[in-house]
Amino acid sequence: GGDAFLQNLRRLVGEGEEEAIDLLSKCLAFNPMKRITAEEALRHPYVVQFHNAADEPESAKVVTVPIDDNTKYSISEYRDRLYSEIAKRKRELQRARKEIRKGSRVKDGGGVHKEEGRGGGVVLRS
């Protein structure tokens, strides 16, 4: 039960570390509806000294892991798949940003204008 779980945490973390044990027990709650949120965790007394609301962006999107929950993976396989998905998503975002920047350089009217410069180069003027 819950008492055995807390006793194990105390044994792992150490006696007298009640704030650490409290945060860990809230983060490790099996039921996701009872688990502490990231925002709540950042305000927890154990880590509040590191909390900086101005430097902690929030996302309105729900973060999901694109890995099938019904497939068993070893820790290293899961880690490798997760890293691969993160790298893939990062490349997609970089490509999209590049396309957006490329599109804004050739805008007509009110934006950035492309002109031929001396020596055949391109000069961007706003």
Side-chain angles (χ1 to χ4, degrees):
D3 290 338
F5 176 70
L6 287 176
Q7 286 174 351
N8 285 332
L9 276 178
R10 279 191 184 89
R11 196 168 45 249
L12 288 169
V13 175
E15 291 294 329
E17 294 289 338
E18 293 307 311
E19 286 180 346
I21 292 165
D22 182 61
L23 178 59
L24 280 170
S25 68
K26 290 175 178 175
C27 288
L28 297 172
F30 184 75
N31 182 340
M33 301 309 291
K34 293 181 179 181
R35 198 173 301 139
I36 193 171
T37 66
E39 292 83 13
E40 292 166 339
L42 288 169
R43 290 188 300 268
H44 190 276
Y46 188 69
V47 294
V48 75
Q49 66 185 352
F50 304 109
H51 177 51
N52 178 358
D55 192 31
E56 295 164 359
E58 292 182 27
S59 175
K61 297 178 184 178
V62 174
V63 177
T64 57
V65 179
I67 297 174
D68 185 10
D69 283 341
N70 298 315
T71 304
K72 286 284 190 185
Y73 297 108
S74 70
I75 293 171
S76 63
E77 287 173 323
Y78 187 81
R79 181 186 56 237
D80 292 346
R81 287 179 180 270
L82 188 57
Y83 287 160
S84 174
E85 288 295 328
I86 291 168
K88 181 173 124 185
R89 179 72 176 135
K90 191 173 181 179
R91 285 191 303 272
E92 290 170 358
L93 289 172
Q94 286 171 340
R95 258 193 304 272
R97 284 188 196 111
K98 195 177 197 180
E99 289 299 316
I100 289 168
R101 282 194 304 264
K102 189 163 75 172
S104 71
R105 287 187 191 136
V106 292
K107 259 191 210 174
D108 286 335
V112 175
H113 300 282
K114 186 171 106 172
E115 299 176 7
E116 290 296 321
R118 291 186 196 151
V122 174
V123 177
L124 301 177
R125 300 197 191 275
S126 51

